[in-house]
Amino acid sequence: MTLNSDLSLDAVRDAIEATEATPLLIDARDRGLTGISGLKTVGLLQRLARAAEGHDSCYLEIGVFQGLTLVSSALAAPTLPCFGIDNFRILDPEGTNKSIVDQRLNDFATTNAHLINMDFEDALAGLLAQTDDQKVSVYFVDGPHDYRSQLVCLLAAKPLLAPGAVIVIDDANYPAVRQATYDFLTSHPDFALMFEAYTDAHPANLDAATLAAAENGWLNGVNVIVHDPAHWVDRTLPPVSEDRTLYFNDWLVHRLALAELAPQALALAHAVVDGADAKAESTALKAAYTSLAPTAEARSRDRNTYSAGLTSGHLANIKAAG
Ligand SMILES: C[S@@+](CC[C@H](N)C(=O)[O-])C[C@H]1O[C@@H](n2cnc3c(N)ncnc32)[C@H](O)[C@@H]1O
């Protein structure tokens, strides 16, 4: 079927089927192009980017890391402008990821690829100025995986998408990622889930043989969404849990004085329930508290609202008619 769109649904389906048969379109691993995406994810992005060439649009990704998916997509579609957003705030203990990306963009001569070194929300807010007003036909979401970030990645990008855009969402094994896809799809009926694939666990928790298969596949799961206002694609939703306790818990945790210490506090809790010597976890918690202390001491123990100084009543103005 031919739609008034940058990418036809047939082109997206063909790209998925070709990727399932042969993961990579262009293999640059022997030239050192590695990263933390599955081979099928990389290959699908390459094929979608190639299919988008010549449509006056661009490729966009959130989560560049060391440049595997950005450079691979740009190599596969040399005439397609490709943009990658990353602020290099995590997964970068040596602080070298940005220079690795710069080096790779240079080594692979991908002059159509551009790094936007910013937080993703700030970058999305001003994206069209960076892309010369070109809208996004292929959008890869692989940045922060908390529920809100995943949902904002979809909501904030929606006005930036070209008709018929395709969205590839990595790490769909995580329930918060699937929940954000689910919530976006149920509130945006013009979009459809075209493909989903999962493994039984995160790659860190797989045995060696299953891990090897995942690395050659979709690694930590994938959701692929297409813009389908004509409803050609049968509507399905990614599986989510009926138990929403973890999302309700956000409110219970966020309002606590020591909310930022939740990861360290839970590591300590784990050691305690295991009956292990919890010294290391206790030391880590106290160390993390040291930098939070000045902020935390100014807070209440619980029910912090951060609403001091907000208006006691503001009624919006209504412009006079005519
Ligand atoms: C899993 S890595 C991306 C992997 C990459 N696509 C590849 O192929 O190897 C996730 C990236 O998201 C970036 N990230 C996390 N939070 C971010 C934010 N708020 N804004 C921009 N980038 C962010 C991290 O710095 C990290 O490099």
Side-chain angles (χ1 to χ4, degrees):
M1 74 220 53
T2 310
L3 300 174
N4 176 22
S5 65
D6 274 4
L7 282 174
S8 75
L9 296 172
D10 288 334
V12 177
R13 184 184 49 203
D14 290 351
I16 293 168
E17 286 177 348
T19 301
E20 285 284 39
T22 309
L24 289 174
L25 181 63
I26 294 172
D27 190 349
R29 283 175 294 172
D30 59 351
R31 290 189 278 152
L33 190 53
T34 54
I36 43 178
S37 291
L39 292 195
K40 286 185 180 173
T41 313
V42 176
L44 177 61
L45 294 172
Q46 290 176 329
R47 289 181 174 91
L48 293 173
R50 183 165 287 184
E53 281 188 300
H55 287 286
D56 202 20
S57 62
C58 68
Y59 166 98
L60 175 68
E61 73 178 30
I62 294 175
V64 176
F65 183 55
Q66 299 180 346
L68 168 63
T69 42
L70 178 62
V71 173
S72 298
S73 301
L75 277 176
T79 65
L80 184 73
C82 296
F83 298 88
I85 298 169
D86 205 303
N87 61 359
F88 303 104
R89 289 282 292 276
I90 60 163
L91 298 174
D92 194 9
E94 314 288 323
T96 51
N97 284 353
K98 182 180 178 304
S99 56
I100 293 171
V101 175
D102 290 338
Q103 187 68 46
R104 286 177 166 180
L105 293 177
N106 186 58
D107 291 351
F108 287 91
T110 42
T111 51
N112 56 321
H114 312 278
L115 175 65
I116 303 173
N117 182 1
M118 289 174 78
D119 174 81
F120 81 91
E121 286 190 66
D122 297 336
L124 288 177
L127 189 81
L128 293 180
Q130 306 260 4
T131 66
D132 232 353
D133 281 334
Q134 274 173 326
K135 292 215 165 177
V136 177
S137 50
V138 181
Y139 180 37
F140 180 43
V141 179
D142 190 17
H145 297 312
D146 61 280
Y147 170 77
R148 178 183 176 276
S149 295
Q150 288 289 147
L151 189 61
V152 170
C153 279
L154 299 173
L155 295 177
K158 199 190 144 218
L160 309 170
L161 298 176
V166 54
I167 307 172
V168 178
I169 301 166
D170 208 8
D171 291 278
N173 276 350
Y174 282 124
V177 174
R178 276 182 275 120
Q179 185 72 55
T181 303
Y182 180 106
D183 291 343
F184 180 78
L185 288 172
T186 52
S187 54
H188 295 83
D190 283 358
F191 289 80
L193 184 64
M194 182 82 160
F195 181 74
E196 56 186 326
Y198 311 102
T199 56
D200 287 346
H202 188 278
N205 298 322
L206 293 175
D207 63 64
T210 321
L211 174 61
E215 285 172 341
N216 289 329
W218 305 100
L219 196 59
N220 192 32
V222 74
N223 287 165
V224 180
I225 295 179
V226 286
H227 180 225
D228 174 33
H231 286 242
W232 289 104
V233 179
D234 286 349
R235 284 344 196 214
T236 57
L237 291 165
V240 292
S241 171
E242 279 179 24
D243 179 355
R244 287 174 283 138
T245 304
L246 295 181
Y247 303 102
F248 296 137
N249 276 356
D250 280 352
W251 171 62
L252 297 173
V253 172
H254 291 189
R255 64 191 215 178
L256 294 170
L258 302 185
E260 288 91 338
L261 301 184
Q264 293 87 347
L266 287 176
L268 175 61
H270 208 135
V272 169
V273 297
D274 280 353
D277 168 12
K279 245 192 199 132
E281 290 79 2
S282 173
T283 305
L285 177 64
K286 283 181 187 153
Y289 176 70
T290 307
S291 49
L292 182 67
T295 313
E297 280 160 13
R299 294 173 174 169
S300 307
R301 278 188 94 87
D302 190 5
R303 292 192 164 81
N304 289 283
T305 58
Y306 310 105
S307 53
L310 301 187
T311 179
S312 57
H314 171 78
L315 183 63
N317 185 43
I318 302 172
K319 286 185 196 67

